[in-house]
Amino acid sequence: IKVINTSIDLHGIRHKEALEKVETELLNLQEQGSFSLTIITGNSSILQGKILKKLREQHKFTYYIPSWNLGQIIVDFVKL
């Protein structure tokens, strides 16, 4: 299985725009196949919460926040 590894940096972007950017990137990657996307949120727990809510409620993607960097969300998707 070929997996696309990429990242998106949300530093300095307003929350509404950041959420739209994440959603667009996730849907584009999903169309291409399996992927691992690192979303760099920095220290904004509010933005992280908004992104996690969207991932859980609207898209059902698998994700985790690595213990070595709490300012990231890593989203994994495997297309079967």
Side-chain angles (χ1 to χ4, degrees):
I1 296 176
K2 180 184 169 196
V3 178
I4 299 167
N5 287 299
T6 190
S7 64
I8 185 170
D9 189 342
L10 303 177
H11 283 107
I13 300 175
R14 295 189 183 279
H15 288 189
K16 183 178 183 212
E17 185 183 340
L19 287 169
E20 291 170 0
K21 193 170 185 174
V22 167
E23 184 166 34
T24 299
E25 185 71 12
L26 287 169
L27 295 176
N28 286 340
L29 287 168
Q30 186 177 27
E31 286 181 15
Q32 296 177 46
S34 300
F35 68 84
S36 179
L37 173 66
T38 300
I39 303 169
I40 302 166
T41 61
N43 295 326
S44 178
S45 59
I46 294 170
L47 178 58
Q48 258 195 355
K50 290 178 180 179
I51 292 170
L52 294 176
K53 183 176 180 185
K54 184 172 282 285
L55 290 172
R56 274 194 311 268
E57 294 178 1
Q58 294 180 11
H59 298 294
K60 311 292 188 220
F61 285 111
T62 303
Y63 65 88
Y64 64 96
I65 298 172
S67 61
W68 62 88
N69 189 341
L70 301 178
Q72 292 183 0
I73 302 167
I74 299 176
V75 182
D76 291 320
F77 174 76
V78 177
K79 188 170 191 172
L80 301 175

